[in-house]
Amino acid sequence: MTLTHLSEWTSFGGTLSVYEHESVITRTPMTFAVYTPKGEGPFPVLWYLSGLTCTWANVMEKAGLQRMAAELGLMIIAPDTSPRGDEVPNDTSYDLGQGAGFYLSATQAPWAEHYHMDRYITEELTQIIADNFQSDMSRQGITGHSMGGHGAITLHLKNPEQFKSCSAFSPITSPSRVPWGQKAFTAYLGKDETIWKAYDASALVKSGHTSSAHILIDTGTADNFREEQLKPELFVQACEASEQKLTSRLQDGYDHSYYFVASFIEDHLRWHAEALG
């Protein structure tokens, strides 16, 4: 496997680098970004999963995380949100296809050949980071925004030994019960809703997929997707019933944008740094 170095910038004493490689799992070129703080590694690793229509660039350019990541000595990994390319299936809507991989492994045509973002992150990209960067893979956390928050929580709950800390901004916590998730799951996984539960954070917790981690969630009260698409209260109820440790905060006046993420990214980075030691 060959990594192609696409670009690099110095930021708060550390280095933000962007790479491309040919993925065995998605069968496409994949791009990802790494922020490495200044100093001697290995560094604890925090994965950031982005939301619908996004790439690695959204968090690295808009969240302002480099200053605090440098101070805390955290390496940040930002994968893309889906496979991409002229030969990769797509859809005319923003919430399906390229940019909308939903961090799952598709089983339905035409998506099943390329759309395996959960395995790409937990298997292939994890190994790439371990082999090529100053990373301490015994200390990994995961966070994300919106669709990426869904990905962060579900990947954590299914891989608690890999991702030892977890947080999310405005996550889709019950995708089986909201339009975004129902559309994506039907396309990628088929109509059998029992299969959907493996990718639904609330359903996972209800079925016993809990962890010893204390999960942090922030959602804005002015988020226009909160009532229809996010439904954080359903995940709160599931965690309370299953005794999963959770802090779920409603932040007054904040919406779904990166202005919101940037306002609370320091809280989340400190949360992970403390949990990862």
Side-chain angles (χ1 to χ4, degrees), residues 12-267:
F12 292 95
T15 304
L16 172 59
S17 303
V18 182
Y19 298 88
E20 184 179 80
H21 71 103
E22 289 292 331
S23 169
V24 174
I25 287 179
T26 69
R27 302 182 183 181
T28 65
M30 293 297 293
T31 305
F32 65 94
V34 179
Y35 179 74
T36 305
K38 182 179 180 180
E40 298 264 341
F43 302 102
V45 173
L46 179 61
W47 296 78
Y48 184 97
L49 308 185
S50 291
L52 291 166
T53 75
C54 294
T55 68
W56 64 265
N58 293 73
V59 66
M60 293 299 188
E61 294 176 354
K62 296 180 179 181
L65 60 75
Q66 290 90 339
R67 178 185 64 82
M68 187 51 53
E71 179 180 320
L72 297 171
L74 286 173
M75 177 179 287
I76 312 295
I77 312 297
D80 203 347
T81 50
S82 78
R84 299 177 191 269
D86 293 341
E87 304 303 317
V88 177
N90 200 9
D91 191 85
T92 56
S93 59
Y94 75 96
D95 53 359
L96 187 67
Q98 295 186 36
F102 268 84
Y103 304 101
L104 51 72
S105 283
T107 59
Q108 304 298 301
W111 315 101
E113 182 177 357
H114 300 291
Y115 283 74
H116 299 276
M117 288 302 296
D118 55 345
R119 291 183 52 230
Y120 169 70
I121 290 167
T122 60
E123 298 173 23
E124 188 172 13
L125 189 52
T126 290
Q127 193 62 54
I128 290 171
I129 300 304
D131 291 344
N132 294 277
F133 298 91
Q134 301 176 60
S135 55
D136 182 352
M137 303 307 278
S138 69
R139 293 188 291 164
Q140 296 182 70
I142 192 165
T143 187
H145 174 235
S146 193
M147 178 186 71
H150 143 75
I153 298 171
T154 55
L155 291 185
H156 163 71
L157 291 173
K158 291 192 283 187
N159 305 276
E161 296 305 312
Q162 180 174 357
F163 304 112
K164 293 181 169 60
S165 61
C166 179
S167 73
F169 300 88
S170 313
I172 309 169
T173 58
S174 296
S176 298
R177 300 171 68 177
V178 303
W180 273 342
Q182 291 166 345
K183 178 179 180 178
F185 286 4
T186 300
Y188 296 142
L189 303 172
K191 295 181 179 180
D192 184 352
E193 296 186 17
T194 61
I195 296 174
W196 299 2
K197 294 179 180 180
Y199 300 103
D200 183 305
S202 296
L204 284 168
V205 168
K206 287 181 180 179
S207 67
H209 282 80
T210 57
S211 76
S212 60
H214 189 158
I215 299 172
L216 171 65
I217 290 176
D218 278 312
T219 308
T221 61
D223 190 321
N224 59 319
F225 299 115
R226 179 166 61 96
E227 293 185 3
E228 182 181 20
Q229 304 282 13
L230 307 182
K231 297 188 181 295
E233 68 279 2
L234 297 181
F235 189 62
V236 171
Q237 293 165 9
C239 288
E240 288 176 346
S242 302
E243 299 184 346
Q244 167 65 53
K245 288 183 286 186
L246 171 70
T247 294
S248 181
R249 308 185 299 195
L250 288 176
Q251 302 292 357
D252 190 41
Y254 287 91
D255 62 10
H256 200 72
S257 71
Y258 266 84
Y259 296 110
F260 161 64
V261 174
S263 297
F264 297 97
I265 193 70
E266 180 175 337
D267 281 5

